[in-house]
Amino acid sequence: PCPCPCPLIYGNLEPLIENITATLSQKEYLAQDFSPRWLALKLLENDREARRIVQHHIHEGNWEPLLDACTKHIEQYEKDNNESPRKTIAACRNQKAEEIASRVAERVIIPKRKSDAIDRIVCRPVLGLFAVALVMFITFQLAFNISGEWEWIPFIGTSPVGLLESVFSDWIPALLDKTLALPDGVWKSLIYDGIVGGVGGVLVFVPVIFFIFLFVSLLNQSGYMARMVVVLDRLMRVFGLHGQSVLPLILGGGLIGGCAVPAIMATRTMREPKERLLTILVIPLMNCGAKVPVYALLIAAFFSAYQGLMMAFVIFVSWFIALVCAAVLGRTLVKGDATPLLIELPTYQMPGVFETVATACRQSWMFIKKAGTFILAVNVLLWALMYFPSPENPDASDTERLQGSYAAMAGKVLEPVSLFAGFDWRDNIALLGGFAAKEVIVSSLSTIYGIEENGVNRGENVGEGDSSSAETEEPEQKLAERLQAEKNWSPVKAFAMLLFVMIYAPCLATCAVIWRETGYVKYMLAATVYTTVLAMLLATAVYQIGSLFV
């Protein structure tokens, strides 16, 4: 009989349990260390550890007949009852647990929260995805309108982006002309083109980034972000990812902004190695904050009438590509089974104004600090590669100097391949700089087209008399306007460039973190190679097919 004060009887299995218990009780050393009844139950469950205990404690060598007898008992029971002893034991334990719970537990009907009614709509599998799309469209439409479209700054009557464009394209160069009055040459080109033009081309997008971070922070504090995780979890399982992957992906730029470096480090909370590695390999496909200036530039230049819609479209394209890549990688490079998602849905609440603004300011300041340090250093390096070597002709224009520079040599080497995607050697220079940091792409384009425009202007001024003097030269065009005016740029090429920047190789910092977190350089190389090859294939397909219709 069971000595437990709360006896648990196992029905038809009891005779076998008592038989094995009596046999085990006769083994002195075994009975001293373990309960014979407990051990009998474990043997009937065919527990490997219980069989090892029997072998270890029975020294006289007669443990084999005992275990053989247990095996025969199990087989006979399965034959007589059409189920294993393990199932019988589990069923009896569950029944006893329910009996105890019914005696001591008090069932309380929890009143429904107001948020439950909202969740029944926004957390539905299909309707929830449409809700996510609508929220994203409204978010980015507002961000673009407030930062770049609506002229609401008091006393000036311009937008924040327009104000910064005037600062870096007109005010600062005019101030430098008055204070420094540098002659044409290496120092003037470095300051005007390499530093002011390059870094300023990135900083003009700070208002866009600020308002995007502001609205994303509002979504997070309101409680809707957790609902997005639930909605996307169902979709991600189709492609082999896990619901816990959503948070690192969002942190890496799933909703625009963020950074792949902390996102990859956030995967440490994932228990399954397969799911963690798969998530790490697709995080670089998200739209980190470094890519936002490139998106903002291309969308403002060629898709200005549909800015919010285009940015929302960019997000869903990146998610679609990431999910497809996860499905392919999960069946080739990384294999394993998915585990369920457990997440607590917070109640909806009004976001705190101070905390929301502080988050947006903190993220924007990180972007500004990076633009003033790392991006500045990389841009000065690229400027040097675009300025040197010195041409043999001392009267050569800046355009001629650029075409004979080290950077142009590298860009022209890649041009036979990149032309399939519509990228010429100038675009290749900017994209090569993007390997260090994606923000450098905008500053590089600003430097490249600034140098070329200066060279063209000086060339046009020669021999035109007083009417083309420096005093009557028109103000410098904005970068977006210069791209629009370029013959080799079109909406098709802009979209191909946008896709390429979205997908191709992670930056140097991200590569280093992938190597450190996975422990293998092969995964860092795999992330770099597969993203770059995929980016070139998709950009080529978009450009070649799109060119047929324009």
Side-chain angles (χ1 to χ4, degrees):
C2 177
C4 178
C6 185
L8 200 159
I9 308 302
Y10 292 95
N12 296 336
L13 201 58
E14 277 296 329
L16 289 179
I17 297 174
E18 293 177 3
N19 187 358
I20 300 174
T21 301
T23 303
L24 294 174
S25 299
Q26 297 174 5
K27 310 300 179 182
E28 181 180 356
Y29 296 105
L30 189 63
Q32 288 177 357
D33 295 339
F34 299 93
S35 166
R37 180 178 174 86
W38 173 83
L39 194 55
L41 286 168
K42 301 304 289 182
L43 289 174
L44 287 173
E45 289 179 308
N46 205 17
D47 184 80
R48 182 183 303 176
E49 184 64 18
R51 298 175 72 89
R52 190 196 64 79
I53 290 172
V54 171
Q55 295 178 24
H56 179 73
H57 281 74
I58 300 179
H59 302 290
E60 56 270 25
N62 60 353
W63 55 267
E64 289 185 358
L66 175 60
L67 296 183
D68 290 341
C70 289
T71 302
K72 291 180 180 179
H73 287 318
I74 293 173
E75 293 174 352
Q76 186 62 39
Y77 184 85
E78 290 177 346
K79 184 178 179 181
D80 296 340
N81 296 275
N82 293 324
E83 70 175 5
S84 65
R86 178 183 296 179
K87 277 191 174 181
T88 302
I89 293 171
C92 293
R93 286 173 177 169
N94 289 336
Q95 183 179 358
K96 191 66 177 180
E98 291 178 0
E99 179 185 337
I100 295 173
S102 64
R103 294 178 181 177
V104 301
E106 180 182 357
R107 297 187 180 275
V108 178
I109 299 176
I110 301 176
K112 292 184 178 181
R113 303 176 300 177
K114 293 181 179 178
S115 60
D116 294 337
I118 303 176
D119 289 340
R120 281 195 292 270
I121 299 174
V122 300
C123 291
R124 288 183 177 273
V126 178
L127 191 59
L129 290 176
F130 283 104
V132 171
L134 179 61
V135 169
M136 289 298 97
F137 169 73
I138 294 174
T139 296
F140 297 118
Q141 190 67 35
L142 283 175
F144 275 106
N145 286 343
I146 295 174
S147 61
E149 294 294 323
W150 296 340
E151 299 178 350
W152 54 271
I153 297 181
F155 309 111
I156 301 179
T158 186
S159 65
V161 171
L163 176 62
L164 287 179
E165 286 179 341
S166 299
V167 168
F168 286 101
S169 64
D170 300 326
W171 300 358
I172 293 180
L175 180 63
L176 292 175
D177 287 339
K178 292 181 180 179
T179 56
L180 299 179
L182 293 173
D184 291 342
V186 60
W187 291 109
K188 185 173 183 179
S189 179
L190 171 62
I191 294 174
Y192 283 72
D193 299 324
I195 297 176
V196 177
V199 178
V202 177
L203 291 180
V204 295
F205 296 104
V206 169
V208 179
I209 293 171
F210 172 81
F211 285 107
I212 286 176
F213 285 143
L214 181 72
F215 289 120
V216 170
S217 179
L218 286 172
L219 291 176
N220 187 30
Q221 292 190 45
S222 67
Y224 181 67
M225 194 75 76
R227 275 75 182 177
M228 293 181 63
V229 172
V230 173
V231 171
L232 294 174
D233 173 63
R234 301 188 185 100
L235 177 64
M236 296 178 72
R237 289 187 177 279
V238 179
F239 297 91
L241 281 174
H242 181 259
Q244 286 184 335
S245 304
V246 176
L247 295 177
L249 288 171
I250 290 177
L251 185 60
L255 297 180
I256 292 291
C259 179
V261 173
I264 291 173
M265 296 175 66
T267 60
R268 294 175 181 176
T269 59
M270 302 179 66
R271 293 179 295 177
E272 294 297 326
K274 173 257 179 181
E275 293 162 351
R276 180 171 184 255
L277 178 57
L278 195 57
T279 304
I280 288 174
L281 292 178
V282 298
I283 281 176
L285 298 172
M286 294 292 101
N287 304 299
C288 66
K291 300 176 185 178
V292 174
V294 187
Y295 297 164
L297 169 64
L298 297 176
I299 291 174
F302 297 97
F303 309 101
S304 58
Y306 311 99
Q307 291 188 97
L309 184 62
M310 275 299 298
M311 190 63 81
F313 180 70
V314 164
I315 291 179
F316 288 105
V317 168
S318 66
W319 274 96
F320 176 76
I321 294 173
L323 293 177
V324 172
C325 289
V328 174
L329 293 172
R331 288 166 174 79
T332 54
L333 185 63
V334 186
K335 297 181 179 180
D337 297 326
T339 55
L341 169 69
L342 296 176
I343 186 172
E344 180 180 358
L345 294 180
T347 57
Y348 291 100
Q349 58 184 356
M350 287 295 296
V353 176
F354 176 79
E355 187 176 352
T356 302
V357 175
T359 300
C361 291
R362 184 168 56 251
Q363 296 288 346
S364 301
W365 172 245
M366 290 174 60
F367 177 80
I368 295 172
K369 187 166 63 173
K370 189 176 181 181
T373 53
F374 181 72
I375 295 174
L376 175 61
V378 174
N379 202 63
V380 170
L381 176 61
L382 287 174
W383 167 85
L385 293 175
M386 288 185 282
Y387 193 85
F388 296 104
S390 300
E392 296 180 359
N393 180 12
D395 297 326
S397 66
D398 286 346
T399 301
E400 294 171 342
R401 180 187 296 274
L402 177 62
Q403 291 177 349
S405 65
Y406 294 123
M409 296 176 192
K412 291 175 182 177
V413 169
L414 300 173
E415 196 173 42
V417 176
S418 64
L419 277 178
F420 288 103
F423 308 149
D424 61 16
W425 60 273
R426 295 174 298 179
D427 307 319
N428 292 342
I429 295 174
L431 293 174
L432 286 173
F435 277 95
K438 295 299 185 290
E439 303 99 327
V440 175
I441 296 173
V442 174
S443 60
S444 299
L445 290 173
S446 181
T447 302
I448 292 167
Y449 287 100
I451 289 175
E452 286 220 309
E453 185 189 33
N454 292 337
V456 170
N457 286 339
R458 280 195 290 271
E460 291 174 349
N461 291 342
V462 176
E464 292 183 3
D466 295 338
S467 62
S468 298
S469 63
E471 289 77 11
T472 59
E473 184 178 326
E474 293 185 3
E476 180 185 6
Q477 286 180 303
K478 306 299 186 291
L479 178 57
E481 297 171 352
R482 294 204 297 272
L483 293 181
Q484 287 176 340
E486 286 289 324
K487 294 181 180 180
N488 66 327
W489 275 90
S490 65
V492 174
K493 176 182 174 178
F495 189 69
M497 174 74 79
L498 191 149
L499 271 181
F500 189 87
V501 172
M502 176 197 301
I503 303 169
Y504 90 112
C507 65
L508 293 179
T510 303
C511 289
V513 172
I514 293 175
W515 186 355
R516 186 182 67 188
E517 292 297 315
T518 62
Y520 295 96
V521 68
K522 66 179 181 180
Y523 291 122
M524 180 194 74
L525 295 176
T528 303
V529 172
Y530 99 82
T531 53
T532 305
V533 172
L534 178 63
M536 179 53 67
L537 292 175
L538 289 179
T540 300
V542 167
Y543 183 75
Q544 295 297 329
I545 296 174
S547 298
L548 299 175
F549 298 96
V550 295

